[in-house]
Amino acid sequence: MATYRESRALSPPLPEARGVVSASVCTALGEGRAVAITPETVAAADPFGDDLQLALHVLYELHYQGFDGVDDRREWDPELLRLRHHLEDRFLGAVREAAPGGEGDTVDEALAGLLVEPRGHDPTSMTHFLQREGTREQLREYAALRSPYHLKEADPHAWVLPRLHGRAKAGMVAVEFDEFGAGHPESIHARLFADLMADLDLDIRYGHYVDATPAEALASVNLMSTLGLHRARRGALVGHFAVVEVTSSPGSRRLAQAMRRTGAGPAAEHFYDEHVEADAVHEQVVRREVVAGLLADEPHLEPDVAFGVRATVLVEDRLAARLLNAWRAGRSALRRPLPP
Amino acid sequence: MEAVDRAGKTCVSNRFVVALCVCRRSRSYPWCDTSHRRRARGEERLDPADGRGARSGAQEEGGRDGGDVP
Ligand SMILES: [Fe+2]
Ligand SMILES: [Fe+2]
């Protein structure tokens, strides 16, 4: 077996712009100039669309891995941060409108629907689809478009650690410790995902598939980043994490079966098998320690936690709809098909 | 953490906390895989093992590891 080359050994090139907003961000970074864009242009951008989501993605990546040829100090460029603030307001405003909370918005209510598994087949679920009829090509597409998250799995949630204390902090750190390999670099979940990608003959280099990744999948990662980076959104970040951990175990079971059925390879199976068991534990710790611990200390955050839950469900449902529409029509779900 | 299943087989987990399956539906027995969850449409599945209804909120407990994991 070839030696593993770290997927994040290098910073990726800047992606291709998808409209005026992302073009102004990429040009400013690529040419080392100040960003120039009017508030009217931002206000006109579709909050869920390719242009705004890619612009946000690029701005957040300055905090994770940066870009080849871009000065690392641009992470704290006040003009870029100001623009990011406008884009975040557009995005989260649209999410709030599309996923409004009811009267007496409780976390238990927001999570209740997720703690129920469908009896039999769920035609709106992409993991049910992939389990039953997903082809190797569709599994490769799924891995490629999830790679902007899984190659930095659990990193967006680590931003919340200094904003928590007591039970919530201890629980969150324990789950993150597991996500980061529990002391073993070869078991870091991001590394397990790179191994999965290698089984599927995908390029493991960080950022390689961003240009092919649809807006709906970028939005999923952008949501985590915006919730993680703002202390004011710590409640929503915790709600987001609860959804990820609660839904992961049964979904991972289905994806592990899809990998086995298509003969994807041992690392591809292992990534999802590991998540079946790990996330059954993570779910318990997140609900009992992180969510309950946070709300015991800061009960006023309950609507924020519930918002984080609803926002995550909304964004993931939009992604599932995009993928299922494309695959059921026999089309690629990516912006450009993968080379075979 | 070591758990012995009914067949007497010893299973080992190095996780910081383990979740033990007590509904006996797990396909990763003795570890929980969330198979205890209630099914859609508000129906309750009777647990053939002990006749109790399985509902969300009455699931197995996440058991704290005894402390043998660093
Ligand atoms: Fe993970
Ligand atoms: Fe997890």
Side-chain angles (χ1 to χ4, degrees):
Chain A
M1 197 178 163
T3 11
Y4 173 69
R5 268 197 78 238
E6 170 58 46
S7 124
R8 287 175 70 169
L10 299 172
S11 296
L14 280 164
E16 285 167 24
R18 301 185 190 180
V20 280
V21 182
S22 51
S24 73
V25 171
C26 292
T27 307
L29 290 172
E31 299 179 2
R33 290 194 285 107
V35 70
I37 189 160
T38 64
E40 292 73 41
T41 314
V42 173
D46 173 0
F48 294 109
D50 273 303
D51 189 27
L52 186 143
Q53 292 299 331
L54 181 70
L56 270 179
H57 168 83
V58 170
L59 291 167
Y60 290 136
E61 278 307 315
L62 297 173
H63 299 284
Y64 296 107
Q65 186 73 13
F67 294 98
D68 186 29
V70 173
D71 186 341
D72 285 340
R73 288 173 299 182
R74 299 302 294 276
E75 178 183 2
W76 296 103
D77 176 326
E79 293 309 315
L80 289 175
L81 293 175
R82 188 198 310 278
L83 171 61
R84 197 187 87 193
H85 184 78
H86 289 307
L87 299 175
E88 289 174 329
D89 279 355
R90 285 278 292 144
F91 176 36
L92 288 182
V95 167
R96 227 173 252 286
E97 213 168 283
E103 190 76 11
D105 200 8
T106 70
V107 174
D108 282 350
E109 265 167 53
L111 281 176
L114 303 174
L115 288 165
V116 176
E117 273 295 295
R119 192 182 280 279
H121 180 59
D122 176 2
T124 66
S125 155
M126 65 188 153
T127 56
H128 277 88
F129 175 90
L130 289 171
Q131 176 193 22
R132 283 161 63 113
E133 52 188 297
T135 63
R136 175 180 161 85
E137 257 332 279
Q138 288 163 344
L139 290 168
R140 291 180 77 225
E141 290 197 354
Y142 184 73
L145 66 87
R146 283 293 197 186
S147 64
Y149 172 60
H150 284 304
L151 289 178
K152 60 170 177 287
E153 186 167 324
D155 283 349
H157 311 99
W159 300 121
V160 85
L161 294 176
R163 289 82 186 256
L164 300 177
H165 56 265
R167 262 169 78 196
K169 186 185 206 104
M172 192 74 194
V173 168
V175 174
E176 289 282 89
F177 180 66
D178 225 21
E179 301 283 350
F180 295 142
H184 304 283
E186 68 284 358
S187 302
I188 295 176
H189 286 186
R191 160 71 190 274
L192 300 182
F193 193 78
D195 294 342
L196 167 148
M197 292 179 78
D199 265 0
L200 291 172
D201 297 314
L202 294 168
D203 193 321
I204 68 163
R205 280 174 298 172
Y206 189 80
H208 186 80
Y209 294 106
V210 166
D211 284 332
T213 300
E216 291 83 353
L218 293 180
S220 157
V221 193
N222 287 339
L223 180 66
M224 311 173 196
S225 296
T226 193
L227 301 183
L229 283 166
H230 292 260
R231 177 176 170 273
R233 298 185 183 135
R234 63 195 179 283
L237 186 281
V238 163
H240 164 81
F241 201 47
V243 175
V244 173
E245 298 295 356
V246 164
T247 54
S248 168
S249 214
S252 294
R253 167 79 70 197
R254 292 187 277 273
L255 292 171
Q257 283 169 358
M259 294 299 171
R260 260 186 279 285
R261 182 174 51 71
T262 56
E269 291 178 21
H270 177 64
F271 178 81
Y272 290 110
D273 282 337
E274 163 63 14
H275 279 86
V276 172
E277 247 175 71
D279 291 339
V281 173
H282 296 177
E283 175 208 329
Q284 299 292 335
V285 177
V286 171
R287 286 167 57 215
R288 288 154 197 263
E289 303 298 321
V290 184
V291 173
L294 179 73
L295 293 181
D297 288 340
E298 302 192 85
H300 62 280
L301 292 182
E302 175 138 21
D304 291 1
V305 180
F307 168 69
V309 172
R310 291 194 315 273
T312 306
V313 170
L314 173 86
V315 166
E316 293 301 321
D317 283 353
R318 289 180 57 93
L319 173 60
R322 154 107 191 198
L323 301 188
L324 289 171
N325 277 341
W327 289 335
R328 290 210 170 104
R331 283 185 283 111
S332 165
L334 301 179
R335 296 181 75 243
R336 59 187 62 152
L338 295 170
Chain B
M1 169 79 188
E2 289 185 0
V4 181
D5 70 12
R6 273 182 308 280
K9 192 175 70 143
T10 300
C11 303
V12 178
S13 171
N14 293 320
R15 216 173 292 288
F16 65 102
V17 169
V18 296
L20 291 175
C21 173
V22 295
C23 75
R24 298 170 193 188
R25 289 191 205 103
S26 175
R27 279 163 284 185
S28 309
Y29 197 85
W31 316 122
C32 169
D33 73 346
T34 73
S35 291
H36 54 270
R37 285 191 189 163
R38 195 160 55 86
R39 302 284 142 169
R41 296 176 188 281
E43 298 161 80
E44 284 182 15
R45 283 209 324 201
L46 282 185
D47 186 333
D50 60 10
R52 273 185 306 155
R55 38 175 109 221
S56 66
Q59 73 278 46
E60 53 264 61
E61 303 294 305
R64 277 253 173 230
D65 191 351
D68 54 341
V69 177

